[in-house]
Amino acid sequence: METPPCSDVWELISKDRRSLKHVHDNVHGNIYLEPLFMKFIDTPQFQRLRDLKQLGLTHMVYPGAVHSRFEHSLGVYWLAGEAINKITAYQGLELEIEHDDIKTVKLAGLLHDVGHGPFSHLFEREVMSMGPGGNIWSHENMSVKMIEYMVDENNIDIDPETLKRVKDMITCSPKDVLLTSLKPKSFLYDIVANGRTGIDVDKFDYIVRDSRACGLGCNFQFERLMESMRVMDNQICYRAKDYLTIHKLFATRADLHRTVYTHAKVKAIELMVVDALRKADSSYQIVSRAFRPSQFWKLDDSILKAIETSSEPELKEAKDLITRIRRRDLYKFCNEFSVPKEEIDNFKAITPKDIICSQKSGHTSLTEEDVAVSNVKIDLTRGTDNPLQSIKFFKDYESSDTFHIEDDRISHLLPAFYQDTIVRVYSKKPELVEAVSAAFENFQLKTYGMKKQVHETPEKKKRRR
């Protein structure tokens, strides 16, 4: 049985309004900021998040998607506070939640994205792969370094143990589940970045915020899960009747990836920006700066404008690519196919070399520089596995048992497979669309014995010059 709220609990979650700062957010309404959090917010390193668009280059296809990492971070801070306050109100005495636990969770929510680079996830996925050590770089690990730098640089007085827990909450991932589960009060690590189940307030905020910014509807209601969640066996569990609500969380996220984050035009622009940054890296040392917090915090989305307005001759090729983006002279999408599900586990990313090696003799001769390939993976957060299998459910608030639920016990309309891998091919020059499309079709025939694309590349696109 849960303990009803009492005076000790209210003392934990109550605040002195005289010391609070008030912000009105267009998603969550009134957000209140306590003095400790303002010490981090009022630093150049945190204010930098205003100059990082939450969805990177997506605003060039969805014009409303200009919201920033700054407002998302405030949103996650607020939801992290709401989540831990609800748990405290219902189970605070039972779980021995202390004021420092609440403070730590909220601070992790506030600072979880301070290590993001320009252009959202494109930076770590593509830009950082250009240099040595880039394949192990992650925004979560960079957030840890940035937090340490912010504390030192701005002389923020904070308990070292609290800071360590904040960093652990941010870097919690599926591969750390066993280690996390051994920590005292490990349920606290389920709130901001949930490595166990993937249900966390980071997703709650960006799903609603991104949907609204892009003008899309959002049927997922995180408030239902926030109200009904319960800590059992030292982890956050959910009522069995909320199974479909949780499925909608993962399905909505996957739909945003399909229709917004990996939109074919968005990917075309991203490919061009990566090429431009690759050509400009020797001048701006983008990759090497990303390993040093003292330099990294000076990197933001404005780097494109810096390249575009530079008078340096060595930046001409990079500038030309940015000019093409401004004039909507984008890499031309030729076609795509979905990798057969039986091939996904052993799928190896397709490269431009794979495409040009599939040219037929007698066609226009292509080089690797003429072709761009995007390998897109969309899943429900756990690859080919069903994420709901990692979640513990309970019957009602009278029960003390937890259990897992199989999909077919709920509905036969739920998916039987949980991951898509899509291969898209682009021509960097409009006059080569026909040749690239033909090579791509031949690649499919050689690899799968048949064309996997849904239809031929439209003739109109082939003729476009």
Side-chain angles (χ1 to χ4, degrees):
M1 291 287 293
E2 293 176 359
T3 306
C6 68
S7 59
D8 290 339
V9 167
W10 293 128
E11 186 177 330
L12 278 175
I13 62 179
S14 62
K15 306 177 187 70
D16 182 356
R17 288 193 296 184
R18 293 172 298 179
S19 64
L20 300 180
K21 294 289 186 180
H22 169 216
V23 174
H24 188 78
D25 178 60
N26 69 344
V27 173
H28 306 300
N30 293 326
I31 290 177
Y32 297 95
L33 300 159
E34 297 161 66
L36 171 65
F37 308 111
M38 290 305 303
K39 290 179 182 179
F40 284 90
I41 292 171
D42 291 339
T43 63
Q45 294 76 30
F46 192 90
Q47 291 294 318
R48 161 185 177 267
L49 298 181
R50 293 182 185 272
D51 299 315
L52 296 178
K53 290 185 177 64
Q54 171 77 6
L55 298 187
L57 298 157
T58 303
H59 70 285
M60 302 197 77
V61 175
Y62 289 88
V66 292
H67 55 302
S68 69
R69 291 274 164 198
F70 182 87
E71 56 209 85
H72 167 63
S73 296
L74 293 186
V76 177
Y77 153 82
W78 183 248
L79 290 184
E82 291 290 281
I84 188 61
N85 284 347
K86 285 186 183 296
I87 293 172
T88 302
Y90 292 117
Q91 297 179 268
L93 297 180
E94 167 197 345
L95 300 173
E96 299 181 348
I97 294 174
E98 300 171 353
H99 186 266
D100 191 60
D101 297 326
I102 298 173
K103 177 177 67 176
T104 303
V105 168
K106 293 169 73 172
L107 193 55
L110 182 71
L111 301 177
H112 79 287
D113 268 356
V114 292
H116 255 291
F119 318 119
S120 193
H121 293 276
L122 177 71
F123 187 81
E124 62 189 290
R125 191 177 60 242
E126 303 290 345
V127 176
M128 288 305 296
S129 66
M130 299 186 312
N135 59 325
I136 59 172
W137 192 96
S138 73
H139 77 270
E140 292 91 353
N141 290 332
M142 194 62 201
S143 290
V144 167
K145 293 180 181 178
M146 283 296 294
I147 290 168
E148 294 168 351
Y149 178 77
M150 290 166 71
V151 169
D152 292 341
E153 190 71 9
N154 299 282
N155 299 311
I156 298 174
D157 183 21
I158 185 169
D159 175 60
E161 183 57 32
T162 297
L163 201 62
K164 181 182 183 305
R165 293 174 74 204
V166 166
K167 293 184 288 187
D168 287 345
M169 288 179 186
I170 290 172
T171 55
C172 185
S173 70
K175 65 175 182 287
D176 301 321
V177 166
L178 182 60
L179 186 63
T180 301
S181 65
L182 299 175
K183 293 179 181 291
K185 302 180 185 177
S186 66
F187 65 89
L188 296 173
Y189 297 79
D190 294 343
I191 295 174
V192 174
N194 193 336
R196 277 198 272 221
T197 67
I199 305 174
D200 51 51
V201 296
D202 181 24
K203 290 185 184 65
F204 291 175
D205 183 85
Y206 76 66
I207 285 175
V208 177
R209 193 176 299 278
D210 295 354
S211 297
R212 179 173 298 189
C214 294
L216 305 174
C218 180
N219 291 327
F220 167 67
Q221 294 182 316
F222 65 82
E223 295 89 348
R224 180 181 175 96
L225 298 182
M226 292 264 282
E227 185 60 43
S228 65
M229 63 186 178
R230 178 185 178 195
V231 176
M232 303 174 73
D233 301 328
N234 213 15
Q235 77 174 76
I236 295 178
C237 305
Y238 298 88
R239 293 181 303 179
K241 66 192 295 184
D242 289 328
Y243 188 92
L244 291 178
T245 301
I246 294 172
H247 181 271
K248 190 172 288 184
L249 161 68
F250 295 120
T252 303
R253 174 186 172 276
D255 190 50
L256 281 170
H257 273 271
R258 170 73 82 162
T259 59
V260 177
Y261 310 150
T262 66
H263 186 287
K265 279 283 196 298
V266 172
K267 299 306 293 185
I269 295 166
E270 287 184 352
L271 289 165
M272 296 181 77
V273 167
V274 170
D275 283 350
L277 294 178
R278 183 176 289 114
K279 295 177 186 298
D281 189 50
S282 59
S283 296
Y284 285 91
Q285 303 297 311
I286 300 166
V287 175
S288 63
R289 288 166 66 187
F291 288 96
R292 293 171 288 160
S294 61
Q295 295 299 312
F296 176 75
W297 77 268
K298 301 171 187 176
L299 274 175
D300 56 43
D301 292 352
S302 65
I303 191 168
L304 273 194
K305 180 61 72 175
I307 296 170
E308 185 180 19
T309 56
S310 173
S311 57
E312 298 297 325
E314 60 268 25
L315 290 172
K316 183 181 184 307
E317 289 184 83
K319 289 174 63 175
D320 288 347
L321 278 168
I322 297 171
T323 300
R324 284 185 61 180
I325 294 172
R326 302 291 189 208
R327 294 175 177 169
R328 210 66 175 178
D329 177 19
L330 307 179
Y331 291 169
K332 303 302 178 186
F333 171 68
C334 296
N335 221 315
E336 68 179 18
F337 72 84
S338 182
V339 176
K341 60 184 181 182
E342 62 273 12
E343 303 281 346
I344 283 181
D345 284 340
N346 299 313
F347 175 74
K348 183 181 177 182
I350 309 303
T351 66
K353 185 176 181 180
D354 294 321
I355 305 303
I356 65 165
C357 287
S358 300
Q359 295 178 88
K360 289 183 178 178
S361 58
H363 285 68
T364 304
S365 180
L366 299 170
T367 68
E368 289 185 52
E369 283 301 309
D370 296 325
V371 180
V373 181
S374 175
N375 297 276
V376 175
K377 187 184 88 168
I378 301 171
D379 61 21
L380 300 187
T381 72
R382 288 294 186 270
T384 56
D385 295 329
N386 179 3
L388 283 94
Q389 295 304 302
S390 63
I391 299 166
K392 289 185 177 181
F393 294 89
F394 60 91
K395 182 176 66 174
D396 57 32
Y397 297 113
E398 300 290 330
S399 63
S400 58
D401 296 328
T402 61
F403 49 86
H404 298 284
I405 302 177
E406 298 293 333
D407 270 355
D408 60 7
R409 302 290 294 274
I410 298 292
S411 171
H412 296 297
L413 296 177
L414 297 175
F417 204 71
Y418 307 98
Q419 179 180 320
D420 271 342
T421 300
I422 303 162
V423 179
R424 293 192 181 123
V425 169
Y426 297 80
S427 171
K428 295 186 179 183
K429 301 172 185 175
E431 64 271 19
L432 295 178
V433 168
E434 184 172 8
V436 173
S437 298
F440 186 44
E441 289 179 7
N442 200 42
F443 168 79
Q444 296 170 60
L445 289 170
K446 286 170 56 180
T447 305
Y448 302 110
M450 62 182 295
K451 295 179 185 177
K452 290 293 183 179
Q453 62 194 37
V454 174
H455 55 69
E456 304 280 334
T457 304
E459 290 298 321
K460 181 180 179 182
K461 187 173 286 190
K462 294 179 182 177
R463 294 194 302 268
R464 195 174 294 162
R465 295 289 185 269

